[in-house]
Amino acid sequence: MNLPLNALFMAPMVDLSHVAYRELVRGFGGCDLFYSEMLNSRIVPKEDLSTSAYLQWACLDDLIFQIVGNDFSAMQAAIKRLDALHPRGIDINMGCSLKKIRAHGWGASLMTDPGVAKVLVSGFRKATDGPLSVKMRIGDTPDMAYLLGFASMLEACGVDFLVLHARTSKEGMSRRARWEYIAALKAHLSIPVIGNGGINGPGDVLEMFKKTGCDGVMIGRQAIVTPWIFRDTKALMAGEPAPVRPDIMGVTLDLISLLEKYFTPDIAWKRFKTAFTWLSKNLVYGHYLLKEINRLPNMDAAKGTIIKAFDDGMS
C-alpha cells in the first residue's frame, strides 16, 4: 500500500471514532486516513446499513474499517461484506486490551497465539484484494524478540502495513508509550510501520517521526480532545505559524449538529456525553460543565446549557 509521506491517522476508538467525529475532524482539514470504530465481526455480515449506528460514513476514500473477533468464518464473512463497500482498507484488531474483548479471545489476545493469528491473517489476505493491516500492541509483556517475530509472521502473511500502539496489553493507557519498540519494528520490517501512543500535541508527532523513523503517526484520544490537531500538525510540519485555536463553543455545537445528522436522538445524546468528557478538557472549568451536562435529559437541554455557559464567560 502506498501511504502518503509522513501519513497522519485517526485511531479507532469505541463510541468516538464514528462518522460524526470524523466529519468534525474533517472540518479542520482532516487527516490522511481515518479508522472506523471497532466493528464486531459477528454482527457486520448481518448489519442493516440503513439503520446501523456503526457502519455509517460520509466518505470511503480515506476510511479503514477495523474488525475484531477470532472466528475465521465470521471474520471472513465480515471482511467480504466490508470489502464490497470499497473502503481504503480493512484492519484486524490485535491491540484492544479491554477485558470484555479479551474474554472472547479477541483483540490483544490474538497476539498470545501466533499460530491462530497466522491462520486468520493468511485466510483474510485471500478474502480481499484491498489493503489489509493489523493494529497491535507490544504484547502482554515488553518482549522485543517476541514482538519482532510476531510482526515478521504478519508481514509474511501479506499484510500491507502494521500499526503499533507502543504499550503492552496490561498497561492499557497507564504508562509512557515505548517509542523504541516502534523504531525497532520499523528497522526490522520492509512494510510500513505506523506509530501510536503518547501523542499530546503536534510537537509529539514530529518527535515520533524523528525518533522512530516510522511511516505514519496515529493519534487517538488527543484527536478527540483537540479535533484540530491534524491541522496544527500539518502547519508545524510545513514550518507555518500555528493556526488560531478554534472557538470551543462553536466546535461543540458543530459536533452536536453532526451527531443529530447521522444518529437517532438517543444514540446522538449518548455519544455526545461520551465525546464531551474529552472535549471539555479544553475548558478551565470544563469539569463543572460536564457534570451539568450529564445531569440533563436530552440534547436540546444540553444546547441551552452550553450556550448559557459560554455567554456567562466560560472558556
Side-chain angles (χ1 to χ4, degrees), residues 155 160 185-193 215:
E155 180 179 31
D160 293 284
L185 198 63
K186 171 59 184 172
H188 184 69
L189 301 178
S190 59
I191 57 175
V193 171
D215 300 280

Side-chain angles (χ1 to χ4, degrees), residues 79-80 83 90 123-132:
I79 287 174
K80 288 182 177 180
D83 195 48
I90 294 173
F124 301 155
R125 178 68 280 175
K126 298 175 183 177
T128 175
D129 293 326
L132 181 68

Side-chain angles (χ1 to χ4, degrees), residues 27-313:
F28 290 103
C31 57
D32 294 300
L33 289 167
F34 292 89
Y35 269 55
S36 71
E37 297 177 77
M38 179 174 60
L39 304 173
N40 187 329
S41 58
R42 294 175 177 174
I43 297 174
V44 167
K46 303 174 184 177
E47 193 83 342
D48 185 342
L49 298 184
S50 66
T51 59
S52 174
Y54 297 95
L55 278 175
Q56 291 210 37
W57 59 84
C59 179
L60 284 167
D61 292 344
D62 57 5
L63 179 60
I64 293 175
F65 288 123
Q66 187 190 72
I67 64 169
V68 65
N70 67 352
D71 179 88
F72 182 84
S73 296
M75 293 185 76
Q76 186 177 53
I79 287 174
K80 288 182 177 180
R81 175 81 187 281
L82 296 173
D83 195 48
L85 300 172
H86 304 295
R88 184 66 180 275
I90 294 173
D91 183 83
I92 309 302
N93 184 316
M94 294 191 186
C96 183
S97 60
L98 294 175
K99 288 182 179 179
K100 63 182 180 180
I101 296 298
R102 296 202 67 174
H104 295 289
W106 303 349
S109 291
L110 288 174
M111 288 194 69
T112 66
D113 193 333
V116 170
K118 181 178 181 179
V119 170
L120 290 174
V121 176
S122 296
F124 301 155
R125 178 68 280 175
K126 298 175 183 177
T128 175
D129 293 326
L132 181 68
S133 59
V134 171
K135 185 174 188 290
M136 61 185 189
R137 285 183 176 244
I138 290 171
D140 278 354
T141 61
D143 185 333
M144 182 73 79
Y146 186 86
L147 170 67
L148 297 181
F150 189 88
S152 291
M153 176 272 293
L154 294 176
E155 180 179 31
C157 288
V159 299
D160 293 284
F161 66 90
L162 293 176
V163 181
L164 179 63
H165 181 165
R167 296 182 177 95
T168 70
S169 306
K170 296 178 181 179
E171 288 166 348
M173 304 289 185
S174 64
R175 79 172 308 279
R176 178 190 66 83
R178 304 170 190 262
W179 288 4
E180 62 272 23
Y181 282 74
I182 300 172
L185 198 63
K186 171 59 184 172
H188 184 69
L189 301 178
S190 59
I191 57 175
V193 171
I194 312 304
N196 176 223
I199 301 297
N200 297 306
D204 293 327
V205 176
L206 270 66
E207 193 70 9
M208 181 181 281
F209 277 124
K210 179 181 178 181
K211 287 188 173 181
T212 70
C214 61
D215 300 280
V217 172
M218 176 176 281
I219 306 176
R221 291 171 294 171
Q222 195 58 41
I224 304 300
V225 177
T226 54
W228 54 90
I229 189 172
F230 298 105
R231 177 202 67 177
D232 292 4
T233 299
K234 291 174 186 177
L236 182 61
M237 291 169 70
E240 299 171 355
V244 175
R245 180 177 183 266
D247 170 58
I248 302 302
M249 185 181 80
V251 173
T252 303
L253 295 178
D254 285 347
L255 174 60
I256 289 174
S257 295
L258 288 164
L259 287 164
E260 291 178 328
K261 175 180 178 180
Y262 288 106
F263 301 114
T264 58
D266 57 329
I267 294 175
W269 177 228
K270 177 183 177 181
R271 291 192 160 186
F272 174 71
K273 289 188 289 184
T274 300
F276 196 68
T277 300
W278 298 95
L279 201 53
S280 64
K281 295 181 183 294
N282 292 287
L283 304 169
V284 175
Y285 298 105
H287 54 294
Y288 291 111
L289 181 56
L290 177 62
K291 287 181 181 179
E292 182 64 22
I293 293 295
N294 285 329
R295 285 195 288 261
L296 297 176
N298 54 47
M299 197 79 88
D300 286 338
K303 291 179 195 175
T305 297
I306 289 165
I307 292 170
K308 183 179 185 303
F310 281 90
D311 284 347
D312 290 344

